[in-house]
């Protein structure tokens, strides 16, 4: 749930700080981060018909490890988008709102490998990366009959680029752009089939506060 993210991140931060000392002795840089951002979905017509908007807020957290191989790093992060909307009814020509409250939740997990360009500056470090993404899509409606709610997971890939600014030795602030493609995830029935939307991915802008080396 979205409201549990700060507690989980606090625990992740504590574990990261404890691990960073021993990891740095092995040539590894370990950092945990919290993230807030905005996402715009590729399936814009589908999201607009169900929740009234094709974009919204993201909250997330994760961990990154810098390897002793130049600027190479790996990381894993999770985030969540949540919005309230309405069930829809689809005919051959139109999509109608049924007025039945519905909650849509999209929970991405991203596994990333990338490169930090440390030769330019020790304080301001641009980076690029890419990797595997897994999206859980949940759609829960009031008064839903058994089997009507949706809870599925789909896989795809992402690419990203950003800049990390070291505020202190252990604290950093960064911004990044992420583009994700989750093909053939939707479009089989309902509003997504009517609009021909099949990609659950999209693009996001993220602000990340990190603790660690």
């Amino acid at each position: 749930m979205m409201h549990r993210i700060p507690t989980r991140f606090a625990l992740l931060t504590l574990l990261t700080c404890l691990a960073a000392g021993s990891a740095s002795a092995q040539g590894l840089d370990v950092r945990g981060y919290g993230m807030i951002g905005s996402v715009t979905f590729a399936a814009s017509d589908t999201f607009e018909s169900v929740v009234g908007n094709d974009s919204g807020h993201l909250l997330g957290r994760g961990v990154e490890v810098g390897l002793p191989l130049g600027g190479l790093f790996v990381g894993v992060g999770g985030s969540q988008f949540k919005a309230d909307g309405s069930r829809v009814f689809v005919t051959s020509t139109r999509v109608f709102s049924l007025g039945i409250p519905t909650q849509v939740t999209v929970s991405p997990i991203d596994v990333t490998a990338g490169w930090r360009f440390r030769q330019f500056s020790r304080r301001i470090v641009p980076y690029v990366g890419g990797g595997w993404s897994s999206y859980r899509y949940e759609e829960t409606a009031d008064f839903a009959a058994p089997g009507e709610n949706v809870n599925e997971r789909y896989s795809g890939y992402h690419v990203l680029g950003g800049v990390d600014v070291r505020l202190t030795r252990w604290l950093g602030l960064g911004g990044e752009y992420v583009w994700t493609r989750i093909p053939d995830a939707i479009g089989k029935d309902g509003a997504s089939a009517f609009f021909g939307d099949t990609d659950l991915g999209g693009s996001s802008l993220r602000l990340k506060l990190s603790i660690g080396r």
Side-chain angles (χ1 to χ4, degrees), residues 12-26 28-30 170:
L12 173 64
T13 300
L14 175 61
L15 294 176
T16 298
C17 291
L18 292 174
S22 60
S24 61
Q26 304 175 36
L28 303 178
D29 292 331
V30 181
W170 291 92

Side-chain angles (χ1 to χ4, degrees), residues 17-195:
C17 291
L18 292 174
S22 60
S24 61
Q26 304 175 36
L28 303 178
D29 292 331
V30 181
R31 67 179 69 180
Y33 66 84
M35 178 270 288
I36 185 171
S38 63
V39 58
T40 300
F41 290 98
S44 58
D45 291 330
T46 299
F47 276 84
E48 285 179 358
S49 68
V50 177
V51 300
N53 204 326
D54 65 347
S55 60
H57 298 298
L58 281 176
L59 287 178
R61 74 282 189 194
V63 63
E64 293 179 352
V65 179
L67 304 177
L69 298 170
L72 184 64
F73 72 91
V74 294
V76 59
S79 57
Q80 188 176 86
F81 161 89
K82 185 177 289 187
D84 294 323
S86 172
R87 283 280 196 195
V88 297
F89 175 73
V90 180
T91 70
S92 59
T93 58
R94 290 191 61 183
V95 177
F96 298 91
S97 174
L98 297 177
I100 301 175
T102 298
Q103 186 174 76
V104 173
T105 305
V106 182
S107 305
I109 296 175
D110 298 318
V111 179
T112 304
W115 190 269
R116 296 186 180 276
F117 299 93
R118 295 173 176 167
Q119 66 268 30
F120 299 110
S121 170
R122 297 186 64 180
R123 183 169 177 266
I124 302 176
V125 181
Y127 60 90
V128 295
W132 174 77
S133 294
S134 176
Y135 274 38
R136 179 176 295 280
Y137 179 84
E138 299 173 83
E139 188 175 313
T140 306
D142 292 353
F143 316 114
E148 287 187 345
N149 288 331
V150 178
N151 188 343
E152 300 287 347
R153 184 169 288 279
Y154 308 97
S155 297
Y157 57 90
H158 67 275
V159 293
L160 60 84
V163 176
D164 184 49
V165 179
R166 301 307 297 173
L167 303 178
T168 68
R169 183 182 179 185
W170 291 92
L171 187 65
L173 184 65
E176 68 182 24
Y177 171 82
V178 184
W179 178 83
T180 306
R181 177 164 166 74
I182 311 293
D184 302 321
I186 54 178
K188 300 175 180 64
D189 51 34
S192 60
F194 176 83
F195 292 114

